[in-house]
Amino acid sequence: MVDYAILLIALPLFAAFLIPLVAMVNKNWPKYIPILVTAFNSVLSINLLLYLNAHNGTPFIVKIGGFIPPFGINLFIGYLAIILLMLISFVGLMISLYTINTVKDAESRYYMLFILLLMGVTGLVITGDLFNMFVFLEITSISAYSLTAYKRDGLSLEASMKYILIGSLASVFVLIGIGVIYYSTHTLNIADISNHINTVPKYIKMFSLSMLLIGLAIEAELFPVNGWVPDVYQASPTPVTTIFSSIVVKATIYVFFRVLFTVFRADLTVMNFVMGLGVITLLIGEISALKQVNIKRMLAYSSIGQVGLIVIAISSYSSMGVAGGIYQMINHAIFKGILFLGTAYMITSVSGTGKISDLKGIAQKMPISSFIVSFSIIALLGVPPLTGFWAKMMILSSVMSSGHQIIVALILFATVVEAVYYLKFIAVIYDSSEITNSFKSTIKFNKIVPIVLFALTIILFSVVPQFLVKFQDVLLKAANELTNVSSYISIVLGS
Amino acid sequence: MSTDSMYRLLVTIAVILGSIIYGFFINSLARRITARVQNRMGPPLKQPFIDVIKLYSKRTFVTHGIMQTLGPILMLTGIISTLILIPYGKGYLTLYSSNGDLITILYIMTFGQLAMALAVGQAGNPYGTIGVARGLTRMFGYELPLILALISLIALNHSADVNVIIANQHGGIANWNAFRHPFVGITALLAMLGMMSYQPFDNASAPAEVASGPITEFGGKFMAIMMTTNAMFVVAKLALLVDLFFGGASNIFILALKIFLLYLYPLFVGLVFPRFAMEDTFLFFWKWPTLIGFIGLAIAIF
Amino acid sequence: MNVLRTIALILSLGFLSSILFYKIRELRNLSIIASLSVALGFVIKFFGIYTGIKRAFSYKDLFYFKFDAFSNFFVVLILGVGLLAILASWNYMKEKKGETFFYVFFMLTILGMVGLVYSRDMLSFFIGWEVMTMGSFLVILQSNEKDRFKFALRYFIISLIGAYSLLWSMFIIYNKVHSFKFSAFNSSVFTKGELTTLLITISIGFLIKAAIMPFHTWASGAYSRSPLTFTAFFSGAMSKMGIYGLFIFLYGSIGLSAIYKTGYNEFFQTSYFQYTLVWLGVITAFLGTLRAILSEDIRVMLAYSSVGQLGYMLIGIGLGSTLGLTATLFHVVTHGLFKTSLFIVVAAIIHRTGKTKFHELGGLINNMPIAFIATLISIITLAGIPPLGGFATKWLLYEAMIEKRMFFATAITMLASIGAFLYAYRLIQNLFLGQRKLEHDDVKPAPLTMQIAMLIPALGMVFLGFFPNLLIKYTNLFIELINIDFFKLGVKVTDTAFTNSYGYWNAFYLGSAVVIIFIVSTIYYNLQRRAKIYKIGQLDIYTAGEYVTRETPLNYSFNFYGFIFDSLKPAIKYSVTNFITRISKEFIALSDFVRRIYTGNGQHYAIFTMIFTIITLIYFLS
C-alpha cells in the first residue's frame, strides 16, 4: 500500500509547526530542518517512483481517511506527479542547503514559511480535489507573500503589497470559478466534475472556465497579469526567488492545465487562446529582459519568457508537446536554480547591489561558479547536445505538427533575443579587465555544492543517451496522464 | 620531338623575336609621328634599338634585392607565355593557342604585370609603388568594359576559342566584329585606350608627376628587359585585339599592318587629350564604356 | 570494425586529451596533432574503398551517418586545415592568455564539423552545426583582442538566426515526410510555395555561415578578432560548411527537379531560385573584393577577401551544373589552401611585430623569406593567375557561367577577380616589399611550426596548378554520389586538358611552358658576361629631392587605393553593416519600450487584470 504518500504533505506540515519549538531549544537547529524535510520527501518520491515502476506505471490514487473518491479527498499520483515531486524535493533540498547562512537574521519563522511554501506546492501537484487545490494554492500564496516581504525593506514591502493585491484577485477569481462549478455539478472531486462537466450549460461552464483561467493565469505568470513577477522576484531573498521560479510557477502551470484539460475538457478554442497567451508571454518576457540592468530582474523576465514557452508546449495538446513542456519545466527549474543561486553567490562575493555591471570580470576570481553559470546558460539556450536542446526539439516539433509554423518561428526568434542578453551577461562576467568591486574570497561549500549538483544533473540529462531514451518514455506517459481524461476518471472513480 | 612540333617551336621563336623588333619599330615610328604633330623632327627610327642594345651591354649594375633581379625575368616569362597563346595567323602561326582560350589569355597577361610589380616593390621606391597602384587602379577600371566586350564576343560566337572567333569573321570587313557589332567594338576600343597606357591614361608612368612610375628605379639590364617585354607586350595586346575585332590575319604582313594601324588610334587620341587625374581615369572607364559595353552585351545575348 | 566509429573514437580521444592535459603544452599539442593526423590518415586510406568495412552508422533510426567520398572530401579538408592550424598555434598561442582552452574549443569545433559532414540526417547535421558554431564562438573568446566579445557575440547571434532558420525548415520537412533523413525528402508532398519557402529558409541558414552578402556582417569582426591561427581554420575550412550544407540540402536532399519545380527559366536553363543564388554570389564576390581593396587592416582585408571568395563558391552552387559544382569544389580546396597559408603568414607577422595595419609594416622580405614565398604563391593562386591552382577554379567557373548563358554575371565576376589581384598585391607589397621600418630590423623569421604550416598549402597550390585533373577525378566521383539529376553538360577532362563546349585549357602544358620559358629566360639572363653586382640599400633611390633616412622611411602604403576610395565615395557610405547595426539599435529601443509595460505600479497591474478578465470573458462567452 502507498498510503504513506500522504506523508509528503503531512510531514512538512508537522515540521513547519515544529520549528518554533525546536528554535526554543537551540537557535541554530531550525535551519537544518528544511534539509531533513526535503531529503525525506526526495526519498519518498523515489520510493513512489519505484512503486509505480513495479506496477506497470499505472497511476494510483491515495484515499485520505479511507473515503471513496467522489465523497472524500484523494491524491492522484502518476509519473507526472512524481516528476514534479522529485523536482520540488530535489530543488527544495538544494535551496535548503544554499539557504544556510544566506538570509540575514533568518529566524525560525523564515524556515517555517519556507517549508509551508514547499508543502503547499507539493499538495498542489498531487491533490485530486478542486477545493483542496484552492487551499494549497492559498497556503502557497500566503507563505509567498510573507517570504517576499521578509527583508522588510521598502522594496520588498512594496513588492509584497503588489503581490497581495494581484494574488488576492487571483484567489477571488479561482474561488468564484470553483463556486460556480460546485453549484452546477455538486461535487468538488476533479474526476467527478469532469464526468459531469458536459451536463453543465455551456455558458456556465465557460464562465467558470474563464474565472479559473484568469485566476490561475495570475499564479502561472502569464501575460498580461504577471505584473507582480519582476518586483517580487527582485525583492525576495534569493532562495525564495529561486523557489518561485523553479518550483512554484511549475506547480501552478500544472494546476492550470490540470483544470483546463481534466476539469473542463478544454477544446481547441480554449487551447488556442492559451497558446496565444503563451506566445505573448514568451515574447514580452524575453524582449523586456533585453535591457535590464539588474541581474535578478533580468532572470525574472527570462522566467516569464520560459513560462510562455512551457505554456505554448503544453497547450499544443499533443502528447509530444506536453512531454516537451514537462521536460522544459524540469530543465528550467534546474537552469534557473543555477542561475539564481550562482549569480546571488557572485553578488554576495563582491557585495554588489545586484547590478549586472557589478559582476564585471568576476570569472577571474570565481572560475567554477562562473563556468557553471555560463554552462547552464548555454544549455538553457538549447545548444545541442545539451538538455535544453532536446526539450526544445520536442516542443518545436509538436507545435509545428499542430500547424503553427509562425509560432515556431516566434519561439526561435525569442530564443535569439534570449541568447543576446544571456551572452552579454557572460561577456560581462568574463570581462578580462580588473575587478573594480571589493572582493571577498570565501569559498562556501554549502553554496558551491548545490550549483555543482545542478550542473551534474544537466550533464546527466544531456549526455547519457540510454537515460534520455528511457526518460522520454516516462515523459510521454506523464503527458498522457495530463491529457487523457477518461483514464484519469477511471483510475479515480473506478470503471 | 616530331617535325611538326619542331616547326611550331621554330615559328614560335621567330614570332617572339619578330615581336620584339616590330614592337620597337612601331614604338619608334610612333615617336616620330608624335614629334611631327608637335612640329619637331623626332628621333631616328633606329633610336630604340640603339637604346636597348646600349642598355643590354652595360656591365655593372646595382640591385636592391632578390625580387628586383627575379622580377624582370618573371616578367619576361609572363609576357612570352601570353605571346605564345595568341594566334598570329593560320597553321604554325597559331603557335600554342590550342592550350588556352580567351579566358586563359586574359589571366596569364596579369602574370607579367605581377612580376613587374614585385620587382618595383623590392626596389623600395615610393614613386614606383605609386605607379603600380595607379596602374592597378587603371586596370581595375578598364577591365570592366574590356571584359564586357570579350564576354559579348564569347556570347556571340558561342566559343571562347580565339581561333574560332577569327574564323567567324571570315569574309570581308563587314564581318569584322568591330563593325558587325558596333557597341562591342566601341567598348573594346575605349577599353583599349586604358590598356595601351598612352595619354590621357598614362597615369601609371606619368612622366614628371611620379618620376617615371614603376620603372623609376630601374636601369641597365633591368631597363633593357623592361623595354623588351614592353615592346612584346604591345604587340601581343594589339595582335589579340586584331584577332578578336578586326578579322585576324591570313598572313603575318597583313597582321603587322593591322597592328600598326590600330596602334595609331590610341596614339592620336593621346595627342589630343591631356592626362586625366587618377579618379577621373578610373571613373571614366566605369561610366560610358561600361554603359556601351552593357548595351553591347545585352544585344549580344538577346 | 566500423570506420565511422573509429574516426569518432580517435577524434574524441584527441578532444579528451585536450581537456585532460590542458596545462601540459607539449603533451596536449602532440596528442591533438597525433589524433588529427591518425584520423586524417584513416580517412585518406579508406577514401574511396568501401569493401569489407561498414560505412554507415545509425542509431534508433534517428541519427544516421555515412562514410563516402562526398563527406571524405570535406573531412580531409577539415582535418588537414585543422592540423595545419593547430601546428601553427603551437607557437602562435604559446604563453598567450587563453592558450589552454583554445585547444579544447578548437577540438570541439572540429568534432562538430566532422560530425555534421558525415551525418546523413538533418537532426545530427543540426547538432554538429550547433556544436561547431558554439565551439568557434568560444574559440574567438580566447583571443587577446579587447573588443573580441562584441564581435564574437555578433557572430554567434547571426549564426543562431541562421541555425534557427535551418531548424524551422527542418521541422517543416519533418512534419510532412516524418523523417529527418536526407534521403527521405519527397518533393511531391510540398506545394510550390512551400518548396520556395523551404529553399529560402534553408539557404539563409547556410548563406549566413558562408558570410554571403547581405549576411556577411559578422565576418570581418569574427575573422579578425579570433586567434589568427584559428581564423586560418575558420576561413579555410569552417566557412565551407555553408557550401557543404547547400550542397547536401539542395542537391543531395531536395534535388534539382524539386528546385526546378519552384520556377524554371528556359533561357538560363535554371530555376529562379538558383539564378538568385548566382547573383548573390556575384554581388558578394564583387563587393567583398571592393571592401577588401579599401581595408587598411590586414586581418579585415583577408576577412573581406574570404567573403568575396565564398561568393565564387556560391556561384558554382547556384549554377547547379556539373561544371559549376566542380568549380565550387575545386575552389573549396584552393581557397582552403591559400587562405590557410595567408592567415598563418599574417599570424606570424603579427606574432613577431605586433602590428596589424598595412602602413605599420613593410620590407620584411629579408626577415621572413619563407613567409614571403608562401605569400607569393598564395596570392598568385588567389588572383587566379596561371599556372598555379587558382586559375583552374576561375576557368571552370567562367565556363560554367557562360554555359548557362549568364554573361552579365560572368563579367562582374571576372572584374571581381581582377580586383582580387589589386588587394593581393598589397599583401606582398605592404608587408614584405618596400622600405623596412627601423624597429623591424630585428624581426625574427616566423616560428618553425608556422613556417611548416604555411609552406605545406603552398606546395599543394603549385601541385594543383599542374595537375588539376587529379582533384577533378575526386570531385567527379562524388558529384555522381549526390545524384545530380542530369549530366547534360560537362567538362571533359583528358589528362590535364580541360575541354567543354566553349573553351579549352591545358594546365600541365601551360604550366610547363611557363616553367620552361622561365628557365630559358634565366639562363639567357645569366649567360652574359657576369658583371659585378652591387647590393645597395633601399635608401639609395631616386627621391626627387626628398631626404630619406632610416628613421623616416618612404613607403607608399596608407590608403593605397585612395583613388578608388575617392571615386566611389558616394556609394561606399551605404553598407549592410551600418544598416544591421541600425536595426539592432532600433530593436533595443523597442525592447526598452516593451519593458515599460511593467510600470511597477500595482494599480496598473490590477487594471491589466481587469482588462484581461473582460477580454477573456468576451472570448469565451461569445
Side-chain angles (χ1 to χ4, degrees):
Chain A
M1 283 306 285
V2 281
D3 280 346
Y4 60 80
I6 193 67
L7 287 176
L8 284 169
I9 303 167
L11 189 92
L13 197 59
F14 174 70
F17 292 115
L18 198 66
I19 281 181
L21 296 176
V22 173
M24 271 189 241
V25 181
N26 187 325
K27 279 233 176 224
N28 279 328
W29 286 3
K31 62 185 169 196
Y32 300 110
I33 289 183
I35 299 175
L36 293 176
V37 169
T38 46
F40 175 78
N41 268 12
S42 306
V43 173
L44 210 57
S45 32
I46 289 168
N47 207 3
L48 285 173
L49 179 68
L50 295 177
Y51 178 84
L52 202 61
N53 273 339
H55 289 77
N56 305 325
T58 325
F60 55 88
I61 56 166
V62 179
K63 307 181 202 77
I64 295 174
F67 294 101
I68 306 163
F71 310 107
I73 292 171
N74 70 289
L75 307 181
F76 182 89
I77 299 176
Y79 276 117
L80 178 56
I82 290 178
I83 287 174
L84 291 170
L85 280 175
M86 286 170 79
L87 197 65
I88 291 165
S89 41
F90 175 66
V91 176
L93 179 60
M94 294 302 122
I95 295 170
S96 320
L97 272 176
Y98 186 91
T99 308
I100 303 172
N101 302 330
T102 301
V103 182
K104 269 185 206 140
D105 319 319
E107 300 157 26
S108 56
R109 61 167 177 255
Y110 172 83
Y111 296 105
M112 195 173 123
L113 288 167
F114 186 87
I115 293 175
L116 274 178
L117 184 63
L118 283 179
M119 187 277 277
V121 175
T122 311
L124 274 179
V125 299
I126 56 177
T127 183
D129 184 281
L130 202 54
F131 193 75
N132 203 252
M133 205 174 252
F134 173 73
V135 171
F136 283 123
L137 205 59
E138 282 304 290
I139 294 176
T140 314
S141 304
I142 289 165
S143 29
Y145 303 150
S146 331
L147 282 171
T148 303
Y150 190 79
K151 280 194 208 158
R152 272 176 268 178
D153 53 6
L155 205 60
S156 58
L157 287 175
E158 186 195 332
S160 181
M161 199 61 219
K162 285 177 200 164
Y163 195 6
I164 291 171
L165 178 68
I166 309 294
S168 51
L169 276 175
S171 306
V172 170
F173 280 120
V174 171
L175 199 58
I176 294 173
I178 292 175
V180 171
I181 208 96
Y182 181 60
Y183 176 77
S184 11
T185 60
H186 309 290
T187 176
L188 282 169
N189 186 291
I190 291 177
D192 209 24
I193 298 173
S194 182
N195 226 353
H196 295 112
I197 194 74
N198 286 335
T199 60
V200 178
K202 186 155 187 279
Y203 67 96
I204 292 185
K205 178 184 158 192
M206 277 312 185
F207 176 75
S208 142
L209 186 149
S210 318
M211 287 296 122
L212 274 163
L213 190 143
I214 295 159
L216 291 171
I218 292 173
E219 297 290 345
E221 304 180 3
L222 288 181
F223 187 81
V225 286
N226 53 7
W228 55 275
V229 177
D231 292 331
V232 169
Y233 277 33
Q234 189 186 354
S236 317
T238 306
V240 178
T241 315
T242 317
I243 288 194
F244 286 163
S245 173
S246 293
I247 300 175
V248 176
V249 67
K250 303 296 164 345
T252 46
I253 291 173
Y254 162 78
V255 170
F256 184 80
F257 281 104
R258 176 61 82 197
V259 167
L260 288 182
F261 282 145
T262 313
V263 175
F264 291 103
R265 300 177 174 231
D267 57 358
L268 215 59
T269 16
V270 181
M271 282 305 128
N272 282 344
F273 183 78
V274 174
M275 195 183 264
L277 284 183
V279 172
I280 297 172
T281 310
L282 173 65
L283 288 176
I284 301 273
E286 301 294 10
I287 292 176
S288 304
L290 201 55
K291 266 206 88 178
Q292 297 302 327
V293 286
N294 186 297
I295 175 77
K296 268 170 103 177
R297 226 174 148 79
M298 183 186 94
L299 292 176
Y301 282 115
S302 161
S303 286
I304 292 175
Q306 290 290 324
V307 164
L309 182 60
I310 295 167
V311 167
I312 294 171
I314 301 183
S315 60
S316 74
Y317 215 166
S318 63
S319 55
M320 185 60 101
V322 178
I326 297 166
Y327 194 176
Q328 184 65 13
M329 278 187 191
I330 301 169
N331 283 341
H332 182 240
I334 296 167
F335 298 145
K336 275 288 143 66
I338 294 181
L339 286 176
F340 273 116
L341 299 183
T343 51
Y345 180 33
M346 291 175 185
I347 285 173
T348 46
S349 306
V350 294
S351 51
T353 52
K355 279 191 180 158
I356 294 176
S357 52
D358 288 342
L359 297 179
K360 203 171 171 190
I362 190 82
Q364 297 160 38
K365 304 281 183 184
M366 304 174 78
I368 296 172
S369 16
S370 302
F371 177 77
I372 291 176
V373 164
S374 314
F375 179 68
S376 77
I377 284 175
I378 286 165
L380 171 69
L381 293 178
V383 172
L386 300 177
T387 171
F389 172 70
W390 301 111
K392 218 160 246 177
M393 281 309 262
M394 290 164 83
I395 294 171
L396 293 178
S397 92
S398 70
V399 176
M400 187 62 103
S401 62
S402 62
H404 302 289
Q405 296 175 359
I406 304 295
I407 293 182
V408 174
L410 287 176
I411 294 174
L412 293 173
F413 168 75
T415 314
V416 172
V417 177
E418 198 178 23
V420 173
Y421 63 80
Y422 270 131
L423 291 178
K424 270 188 182 165
F425 174 69
I426 298 185
V428 172
I429 62 176
Y430 278 93
D431 196 305
S432 50
S433 50
E434 283 304 300
I435 299 177
T436 43
N437 283 303
S438 59
F439 179 80
K440 297 175 285 183
S441 62
T442 46
I443 293 175
K444 292 188 181 126
F445 279 102
N446 72 320
K447 311 227 155 146
I448 281 283
V449 166
I451 304 173
V452 171
L453 282 178
F454 274 136
L456 288 179
T457 333
I458 296 182
I459 292 171
L460 174 73
F461 276 108
S462 303
V463 292
V464 189
Q466 279 322 106
F467 180 75
L468 258 180
V469 172
K470 262 191 190 149
F471 182 63
Q472 203 182 11
D473 291 342
V474 171
L475 281 178
L476 286 171
K477 276 182 191 160
N480 193 42
E481 284 162 21
L482 188 57
T483 49
N484 194 337
V485 182
S486 54
S487 93
Y488 184 91
I489 296 172
S490 69
I491 285 163
V492 176
L493 298 179
S495 48
Chain B
M1 197 185 263
S2 68
T3 40
D4 184 64
S5 51
M6 186 68 97
Y7 276 130
R8 195 174 289 273
L9 187 65
L10 287 175
V11 170
T12 306
I13 292 169
V15 166
I16 291 169
L17 294 175
S19 71
I20 297 172
I21 294 164
Y22 192 59
F24 281 130
F25 174 69
I26 56 173
N27 182 19
S28 134
L29 214 55
R31 282 166 74 179
R32 295 275 290 187
I33 293 166
T34 314
R36 289 300 161 87
V37 170
Q38 292 164 345
N39 211 1
R40 294 186 280 117
M41 272 306 282
L45 275 178
K46 60 187 176 184
Q47 188 60 46
F49 298 98
I50 296 169
D51 288 345
V52 80
I53 290 167
K54 182 194 79 182
L55 286 170
Y56 267 120
S57 54
K58 283 198 174 181
R59 289 183 59 191
T60 312
F61 61 96
V62 292
T63 172
H64 290 99
I66 176 84
M67 283 322 286
Q68 199 183 8
T69 315
L70 266 180
I73 301 175
L74 282 170
M75 195 174 157
L76 197 62
T77 310
I79 304 298
I80 294 176
S81 306
T82 316
L83 211 60
I84 62 168
L85 286 177
I86 298 170
Y88 298 88
K90 292 197 168 65
Y92 292 125
L93 278 175
T94 54
L95 307 190
Y96 293 95
S97 60
S98 65
N99 282 319
D101 54 12
L102 195 48
I103 296 171
T104 320
I105 295 172
L106 199 66
Y107 271 87
I108 206 157
M109 265 184 183
T110 47
F111 188 95
Q113 279 154 328
L114 175 70
M116 183 167 98
L118 289 177
V120 171
Q122 175 83 74
N125 192 315
Y127 292 114
T129 318
I130 294 174
V132 171
R134 286 173 163 216
L136 289 175
T137 309
R138 185 185 61 199
M139 182 171 88
F140 196 41
Y142 76 72
E143 285 281 353
L144 180 55
L146 184 67
I147 288 168
L148 284 170
L150 297 185
I151 295 275
S152 307
L153 280 191
I154 294 174
L156 287 164
N157 291 287
H158 299 287
S159 175
D161 186 343
V162 183
N163 289 311
V164 171
I165 294 174
I166 295 172
N168 283 348
Q169 298 177 76
H170 183 69
I173 290 182
N175 275 344
W176 291 1
N177 283 328
F179 304 114
R180 197 165 53 171
H181 310 294
F183 282 106
V184 179
I186 292 169
T187 316
L189 286 178
L190 287 174
M192 181 191 163
L193 290 177
M195 260 172 105
M196 300 309 293
S197 71
Y198 264 103
Q199 276 182 334
F201 303 118
D202 60 342
N203 323 63
S205 51
E209 192 177 323
V210 284
S212 304
I215 55 166
T216 303
E217 208 51 44
F218 290 79
K221 272 183 186 151
F222 299 136
M223 187 70 184
I225 291 186
M226 280 198 164
M227 281 174 72
T228 318
T229 50
N230 203 30
M232 289 159 83
F233 200 34
V234 166
V235 173
K237 281 191 278 195
L238 289 169
L240 181 64
L241 286 171
V242 167
D243 281 347
L244 292 177
F245 294 98
F246 298 96
S250 48
N251 64 52
I252 199 96
F253 299 105
I254 293 184
L255 182 77
L257 184 65
K258 281 182 178 174
I259 287 176
F260 178 66
L261 290 175
L262 191 58
Y263 186 65
L264 289 179
Y265 149 67
L267 188 68
F268 287 140
V269 171
L271 286 172
V272 179
F273 288 100
R275 188 186 303 145
F276 276 25
M278 199 56 236
E279 288 82 358
D280 297 335
T281 303
F282 179 67
L283 276 186
F284 169 79
F285 288 113
W286 280 25
K287 276 179 183 164
W288 297 111
T290 304
L291 188 67
I292 300 169
F294 272 123
I295 296 170
L297 182 52
I299 293 172
I301 297 172
F302 300 112
Chain C
M1 179 134 101
N2 190 316
V3 68
L4 278 168
R5 279 175 199 261
T6 318
I7 292 167
L9 185 72
I10 297 167
L11 289 177
S12 309
L13 282 179
F15 177 56
L16 284 180
S17 56
S18 74
I19 296 175
L20 285 179
F21 312 128
Y22 78 107
K23 282 276 188 203
I24 318 163
R25 180 179 302 119
E26 277 72 24
L27 195 55
R28 175 195 62 211
N29 291 5
L30 278 177
S31 56
I32 292 173
I33 288 169
S35 132
L36 286 180
S37 11
V38 170
L40 185 62
F42 210 74
V43 176
I44 290 173
K45 176 151 190 253
F46 297 113
F47 195 94
I49 310 164
Y50 307 127
T51 44
I53 290 174
K54 268 175 74 185
R55 59 195 169 95
F57 167 75
S58 66
Y59 177 75
K60 281 202 169 283
D61 210 35
L62 203 58
F63 305 111
Y64 184 58
F65 296 90
K66 203 166 164 203
F67 182 88
D68 59 22
F70 180 52
S71 300
N72 286 345
F73 182 84
F74 281 90
V75 171
V76 168
L77 181 82
I78 293 166
L79 294 179
V81 175
L83 198 56
L84 293 174
I86 286 197
L87 203 60
S89 311
W90 194 324
N91 282 105
Y92 180 75
M93 289 304 288
K94 201 172 188 172
E95 273 147 32
K96 279 197 178 138
K97 211 169 165 184
E99 188 199 356
T100 49
F101 286 110
F102 173 82
Y103 292 96
V104 177
F105 297 138
F106 200 141
M107 281 306 285
L108 189 67
T109 316
I110 291 180
L111 265 181
M113 285 166 74
V114 171
L116 86 88
V117 170
Y118 277 133
S119 72
R120 283 293 176 277
D121 69 294
M122 291 183 280
L123 191 61
S124 22
F125 183 93
F126 185 79
I127 293 174
W129 187 262
E130 283 288 89
V131 169
M132 166 183 82
T133 307
M134 197 69 219
S136 51
F137 167 69
L138 292 169
V139 176
I140 299 173
L141 299 186
Q142 307 308 317
S143 85
N144 290 340
E145 303 287 331
K146 269 232 165 70
D147 47 1
R148 64 185 189 276
F149 234 116
K150 183 180 151 202
F151 291 105
L153 196 64
R154 188 184 286 175
Y155 162 64
F156 190 73
I157 296 299
I158 296 178
S159 294
L160 208 59
I161 293 172
Y164 285 162
S165 168
L166 202 61
L167 191 66
W168 191 78
S169 352
M170 275 169 52
F171 277 120
I172 297 249
I173 295 173
Y174 182 75
N175 200 22
K176 290 255 177 171
V177 300
H178 304 291
S179 169
F180 279 123
K181 274 190 189 173
F182 285 136
S183 52
F185 186 85
N186 177 6
S187 65
S188 59
V189 296
F190 294 96
T191 63
K192 193 177 156 187
E194 282 172 337
L195 268 180
T196 315
T197 320
L198 266 183
L199 287 177
I200 291 170
T201 46
I202 287 176
S203 315
I204 286 176
F206 294 123
L207 296 186
I208 283 180
K209 182 56 77 185
I212 298 298
M213 289 185 183
F215 309 112
H216 68 286
T217 48
W218 59 270
S220 64
Y223 283 172
S224 56
R225 265 59 176 192
S226 309
L228 282 169
T229 45
F230 180 73
T231 315
F233 180 75
F234 206 157
S235 164
M238 220 173 100
S239 56
K240 300 335 181 274
M241 289 301 106
I243 298 300
Y244 172 81
L246 283 173
F247 244 107
I248 192 108
F249 270 78
L250 294 189
Y251 299 122
S253 175
I254 293 177
L256 206 54
S257 51
I259 297 174
Y260 284 169
K261 247 174 67 177
T262 61
Y264 183 73
N265 185 317
E266 284 296 331
F267 186 80
F268 295 113
Q269 297 164 359
T270 184
S271 64
Y272 291 107
F273 168 72
Q274 287 169 299
Y275 191 66
T276 318
L277 282 191
V278 169
W279 270 103
L280 275 181
V282 170
I283 291 168
T284 307
F286 180 65
L287 293 182
T289 303
L290 206 57
R291 286 277 166 200
I293 290 173
L294 302 176
S295 306
E296 290 299 330
D297 187 305
I298 313 168
R299 304 164 302 169
V300 173
M301 192 193 89
L302 284 180
Y304 274 117
S305 155
S306 293
V307 171
Q309 297 292 326
L310 263 293
Y312 294 114
M313 294 177 210
L314 183 67
I315 294 170
I317 295 271
L319 291 171
S321 59
T322 313
L323 199 53
L325 295 181
T326 310
T328 298
L329 292 170
F330 206 100
H331 200 44
V332 163
V333 176
T334 43
H335 181 249
L337 291 173
F338 69 70
K339 260 310 143 54
T340 309
S341 190
L342 281 178
F343 267 115
I344 291 174
V345 166
V346 171
I349 289 174
I350 293 176
H351 182 63
R352 287 296 193 215
T353 63
K355 301 285 165 54
T356 61
K357 298 267 182 0
F358 280 113
H359 60 85
E360 295 166 339
L361 291 157
L364 293 173
I365 177 169
N366 293 329
N367 305 58
M368 300 179 145
I370 301 286
F372 173 76
I373 293 168
T375 313
L376 185 57
I377 293 175
S378 301
I379 66 157
I380 292 177
T381 316
L382 166 68
I385 299 172
L388 295 191
F391 180 65
T393 320
K394 300 278 190 290
W395 190 87
L396 288 167
L397 193 67
Y398 299 149
E399 298 290 348
M401 289 170 89
I402 290 169
E403 194 180 75
K404 289 269 186 184
R405 310 182 67 187
M406 300 183 183
F407 297 107
F408 285 109
T410 318
I412 310 283
T413 318
M414 280 172 114
L415 184 69
S417 85
I418 299 290
F421 184 66
L422 264 70
Y423 68 72
Y425 177 62
R426 279 196 86 177
L427 275 174
I428 205 121
Q429 166 67 40
N430 294 159
L431 300 183
F432 293 101
L433 303 178
Q435 299 183 0
R436 187 167 62 199
K437 294 223 173 353
L438 194 59
E439 62 202 275
H440 293 154
D441 279 355
D442 305 324
V443 170
K444 281 182 278 183
L448 181 67
T449 59
M450 297 183 92
Q451 285 187 354
I452 296 169
M454 64 180 80
L455 266 188
I456 292 174
L459 292 178
M461 285 177 256
V462 174
F463 178 77
L464 276 185
F466 288 85
F467 303 101
N469 53 321
L470 293 181
L471 186 58
I472 301 282
K473 208 171 82 187
Y474 285 111
T475 57
N476 280 347
L477 191 71
F478 64 75
I479 285 178
E480 282 170 41
L481 264 177
I482 63 166
N483 263 331
I484 300 247
D485 316 30
F486 76 119
F487 273 94
K488 257 196 328 211
L489 304 157
V491 58
K492 279 191 224 63
V493 182
T494 52
D495 292 332
T496 50
F498 290 19
T499 324
N500 84 330
S501 57
Y502 272 89
Y504 46 76
W505 162 56
N506 190 327
F508 184 70
Y509 284 176
L510 188 62
S512 313
V514 171
V515 171
I516 291 167
I517 294 166
F518 175 70
I519 293 169
V520 170
S521 316
T522 318
I523 292 170
Y524 155 77
Y525 191 81
N526 290 315
L527 266 185
Q528 297 181 325
R529 277 177 295 166
R530 291 203 72 78
K532 188 165 171 57
I533 299 172
Y534 293 102
K535 269 208 89 167
I536 52 172
Q538 286 174 321
L539 294 185
D540 285 331
I541 52 169
Y542 169 79
T543 59
E546 191 82 38
Y547 184 65
V548 194
T549 62
R550 285 308 314 278
E551 285 77 25
T552 55
L554 270 183
N555 262 342
Y556 179 69
S557 59
F558 184 71
N559 204 5
F560 199 79
Y561 295 112
F563 333 108
I564 299 179
F565 184 78
D566 289 344
S567 311
L568 302 178
K569 210 179 226 165
I572 282 169
K573 68 179 178 203
Y574 300 104
S575 82
V576 186
T577 315
N578 293 347
F579 181 67
I580 302 273
T581 317
R582 201 161 140 212
I583 285 187
S584 59
K585 272 198 187 124
E586 295 291 331
F587 185 76
I588 288 181
L590 173 79
S591 88
D592 203 38
F593 176 74
V594 169
R595 180 179 68 83
R596 287 174 205 282
I597 291 173
Y598 296 95
T599 52
N601 188 332
Q603 291 169 338
H604 291 172
Y605 296 153
I607 292 169
F608 285 167
T609 314
M610 284 305 128
I611 294 171
F612 179 61
T613 312
I614 293 163
I615 292 172
T616 315
L617 285 174
I618 290 172
Y619 182 85
F620 284 118
L621 295 179
S622 62

